[in-house]
Amino acid sequence: MRIESVSENTCMVYFGDQIGAESAGLVKRATDRLRRDMSDLIVDLVPSYTSILVTWDLEQADRFAIVRRVRAAIDSEDDGSTGGDSARIVELPVYYDPEVGLDLEDVCEHAGLSRDEVVRIHSEQLYQVYAIGFAPGFAYLGSTDERIAIPRKSTPRLKVPTGSVGIAGTQTAIYPSCTPGGWQIIGRTPQKMVDWDSDSLALVQVGDQVRFRAISRDEFLELGGNLDEL
């Protein structure tokens, strides 16, 4: 673990340089412990792939005191466990079809696989939430099976429909709102990814795991899905 100052009341806590399940687990556990043990000092926590941005109340503590408290909180109750078995698993229904999967056929062609094979490969994987960013509720999930990995679009769309499920490289994600984007869209979920009435806003958090479940057009509509382009 490495702690570096960013500003007079902000520091970055690093847990390595490799993106993966191990780093995600460390970030998740550290975030939970900081929220538990330092709620009196911390103003905001922003977990990412391998780090946490910590902002504290400058009137309550200086940089040296914060570093000591951060280390003590993160090291507390450290039994060496990975915590993977206790990770929350969120299942998301997805309608995989060119009707809403704007790039599904292109992904199939790039991978040299049938539509059913692409859907099966994408939906059978258990994904780790590595980071939340770009837009509220936009979760970066990894890792996508190499067989269906595909680069981002060379020209991003100006508007990607809400709920769109996309692939970029070996990551997959869901667009929580209608925004510009260059991910390859293979389906759409009726599940709302942002809850403005909750404290966390996002349906999933760093450290959670996500599994996709393929659904029919009828089920998509029954669950409140929207077939409109935007």
Side-chain angles (χ1 to χ4, degrees), residues 117-184:
E117 288 174 314
V118 169
V119 171
R120 177 184 59 78
I121 291 170
H122 186 262
S123 59
E124 71 181 5
Q125 190 91 344
L126 186 61
Y127 299 95
Q128 190 87 23
V129 180
Y130 286 145
I132 306 290
F134 169 63
F138 190 100
Y140 294 86
L141 313 176
S143 297
T144 306
D145 192 296
E146 291 283 355
R147 290 173 291 176
I148 58 173
I150 183 172
R152 294 170 181 258
K153 299 182 70 65
S154 56
T155 303
R157 290 186 172 88
L158 295 179
K159 292 183 178 181
V160 177
T162 300
S164 293
V165 178
I167 297 174
T170 57
Q171 293 189 94
T172 188
I174 308 99
Y175 282 78
S177 57
C178 181
T179 60
W183 292 49
Q184 305 282 354

Side-chain angles (χ1 to χ4, degrees), residues 8 28 56 77 91 116 131 139 178 183 195 200 209 222:
E8 62 178 358
K28 165 66 173 172
W56 69 88
E77 300 178 13
E91 183 179 88
D116 287 345
C178 181
W183 292 49
D195 181 0
S200 62
Q209 294 179 317
E222 288 173 2

Side-chain angles (χ1 to χ4, degrees), residues 50-230:
T50 60
S51 64
I52 307 172
L53 182 67
V54 180
T55 303
W56 69 88
D57 185 347
L58 192 57
E59 295 183 355
Q60 299 294 322
D62 61 19
R63 177 170 61 88
F64 301 102
I66 283 294
V67 168
R68 290 195 297 271
R69 287 284 300 273
V70 167
R71 289 190 180 278
I74 292 176
D75 290 340
S76 66
E77 300 178 13
D78 190 358
D79 57 6
S81 63
T82 62
D85 293 339
S86 61
R88 186 172 68 115
I89 298 177
V90 179
E91 183 179 88
L92 298 177
V94 178
Y95 174 39
Y96 296 94
D97 191 89
E99 183 177 19
V100 291
L102 309 178
D103 304 302
L104 181 55
E105 298 296 351
D106 290 340
V107 173
C108 292
E109 182 178 351
H110 179 83
L113 299 170
S114 69
R115 187 188 306 171
D116 287 345
E117 288 174 314
V118 169
V119 171
R120 177 184 59 78
I121 291 170
H122 186 262
S123 59
E124 71 181 5
Q125 190 91 344
L126 186 61
Y127 299 95
Q128 190 87 23
V129 180
Y130 286 145
I132 306 290
F134 169 63
F138 190 100
Y140 294 86
L141 313 176
S143 297
T144 306
D145 192 296
E146 291 283 355
R147 290 173 291 176
I148 58 173
I150 183 172
R152 294 170 181 258
K153 299 182 70 65
S154 56
T155 303
R157 290 186 172 88
L158 295 179
K159 292 183 178 181
V160 177
T162 300
S164 293
V165 178
I167 297 174
T170 57
Q171 293 189 94
T172 188
I174 308 99
Y175 282 78
S177 57
C178 181
T179 60
W183 292 49
Q184 305 282 354
I185 306 304
I186 62 172
R188 194 177 300 176
T189 179
Q191 175 66 55
K192 304 302 182 186
M193 299 303 296
V194 176
D195 181 0
W196 295 106
D197 295 325
S198 71
D199 292 335
S200 62
L201 295 182
L203 176 66
V204 298
Q205 301 295 324
V206 171
D208 289 344
Q209 294 179 317
V210 172
R211 189 189 304 279
F212 296 107
R213 176 174 64 88
I215 60 174
S216 67
R217 187 180 193 272
D218 288 343
E219 186 175 357
F220 175 76
L221 295 173
E222 288 173 2
L223 291 173
N226 189 351
L227 293 173
D228 292 342
E229 179 66 15
L230 299 176

